[in-house]
Amino acid sequence: MQLETKTYGDTLIVTATMPRIDAAIAIEFKDNMRTACMDGPARVVLDLSSVSFLDSSGLGAVVAAMKLLAPDQKLELAGLTTNVDKVFRLTRMDRVFTIHPDTDTALNDTETDIENAS
Amino acid sequence: MHPDPLTTLMNKAKTLPHPTKTPTDKIHLIFPASPNGVRKALADTLEKLRFLELSIEETGTVELVLAEVMNNITEHAYADYPDGMIDLQITPTSRGLYCKVSDSGKPMPKGAAPLGSRALLDCELNDLPEGGFGWFLIRDLARDLEYSRVAGKNLLNFRIATNQPDLLAN
């Protein structure tokens, strides 16, 4: 399925290229997230900027993916579009995930962390 | 002498169609209760609603509520019936979209639509819920929701409020 991966330092960016994560592909999405992140860096940022629709099945799949990756990998999110963002806010799942405006910000956040640590 | 703005407005209003309960742009779809059947029905519905020029947010709300309702029918009412069909009717009005969804599957548990409490997230990561958000979203976003069981069918009526002040006629 449509998941593209690219590693930047200690961060794996997984880009969801499908327009929707719904009941029709929720299980496939979860399984493919596991495969895409296997043996990857500890930090995974899922780029959802191409996804314009996510239903509760899709939300469940993203939560399931986060649980599958833990504890060795941490899943963060980036680029939530208007209606995807709404589902996360209404269900309060926006408090569970670290959510970045876009992948550039997500990658810069790492650099900030490193600077702060040194 | 120019007529005052109020008179102009009232004269203009007289030329507009009178509000009527007779739907002229009612949408009626009957489709298989399957993930792909629901997906296609959503796409068809949004296409037919394009004349309303809903905002991105409103379109998202309409698609989400309908998706949750129809996914629930597919997954629960028709859990043991792979060939079930869903009947969806939508009547656009100035107060929003009046939706009627019916199916011939199992009745709702205890004969009532779920309350849809918000899932509790104050827990360990491994205990986070992966489901149960659907009815919460429906209850949160839909208005005037009524469920009934009539002649072996589930009937769900609800309204999705959309900003359509110009839509006088149905």
Side-chain angles (χ1 to χ4, degrees):
Chain A
M1 190 182 52
Q2 312 98 320
L3 290 179
E4 291 173 1
T5 57
K6 197 163 183 183
T7 306
Y8 298 85
D10 66 347
T11 302
L12 176 71
I13 301 277
V14 180
T15 305
T17 61
M18 64 292 245
R20 45 200 296 130
I21 305 178
D22 59 12
I25 61 159
I27 293 170
E28 193 184 350
F29 172 83
K30 183 177 80 171
D31 291 344
N32 288 346
M33 274 296 288
R34 190 209 315 253
T35 311
C37 301
M38 202 173 282
D39 304 323
R43 182 174 184 242
V44 177
V45 176
L46 175 61
D47 178 8
L48 291 171
S49 58
S50 298
V51 178
S52 54
F53 180 76
L54 173 125
D55 63 13
S56 68
S57 304
L59 176 68
V62 175
V63 174
M66 177 175 64
K67 289 160 72 170
L68 278 173
L69 298 184
D72 296 333
Q73 291 173 300
K74 179 171 184 264
L75 181 64
E76 301 177 11
L77 308 175
L80 272 57
T81 57
T82 306
N83 290 314
V84 172
D85 178 63
K86 180 161 75 181
V87 175
F88 276 86
R89 274 188 294 107
L90 289 175
T91 57
R92 305 260 163 92
M93 275 294 173
D94 58 337
R95 302 175 186 187
V96 171
F97 288 89
T98 302
I99 300 177
H100 306 277
D102 50 50
T103 52
D104 282 350
T105 317
L107 290 169
N108 284 332
D109 270 7
T110 332
E111 286 163 22
T112 311
D113 290 345
I114 292 166
E115 280 166 21
N116 290 343
S118 60
Chain B
M1 194 181 112
H2 293 291
D4 65 274
L6 184 63
T7 309
T8 309
L9 196 68
M10 286 176 74
N11 285 337
K12 198 176 167 190
K14 282 178 193 164
T15 65
L16 290 171
H18 191 73
T20 169
K21 299 247 175 184
T22 311
T24 50
D25 287 303
K26 192 157 117 177
I27 295 168
H28 189 186
L29 298 174
I30 299 170
F31 50 93
S34 67
N36 282 318
V38 169
R39 200 187 245 198
K40 183 170 187 310
L42 289 171
D44 290 350
T45 301
L46 294 186
E47 177 63 30
K48 288 174 193 291
L49 290 176
R50 270 176 61 173
F51 77 98
L52 292 175
E53 297 181 343
L54 300 175
S55 67
I56 290 175
E57 289 82 358
E58 287 176 328
T59 305
T61 299
V62 171
E63 185 169 18
L64 185 59
V65 172
L66 293 178
E68 298 301 341
V69 166
M70 301 189 305
N71 285 341
N72 276 327
I73 293 171
T74 305
E75 291 166 22
H76 301 296
Y78 284 131
D80 307 318
Y81 306 90
D83 298 324
M85 301 293 284
I86 298 174
D87 185 303
L88 168 68
Q89 295 183 54
I90 302 176
T91 309
T93 76
S94 56
R95 297 190 67 227
L97 307 180
Y98 282 85
C99 305
K100 287 175 185 282
V101 189
S102 74
D103 66 79
S104 305
K106 286 187 292 189
M108 296 269 192
K110 297 174 189 166
L115 290 175
S117 310
R118 192 194 295 275
L120 294 174
L121 305 180
D122 186 16
C123 57
E124 294 295 317
L125 187 142
N126 265 325
D127 298 327
L128 281 175
E130 295 172 25
F133 309 111
W135 267 102
F136 167 74
L137 291 169
I138 295 167
R139 293 278 191 188
D140 198 62
L141 297 170
R143 303 281 172 269
D144 309 333
L145 188 128
E146 287 176 356
Y147 166 73
S148 57
R149 178 83 180 175
V150 179
K153 284 178 186 276
N154 294 312
L155 306 176
L156 198 64
N157 291 346
F158 54 91
R159 176 171 62 91
I160 304 171
T162 53
N163 187 25
Q164 298 293 325
D166 300 333
L167 194 71
L168 291 176
N170 287 343

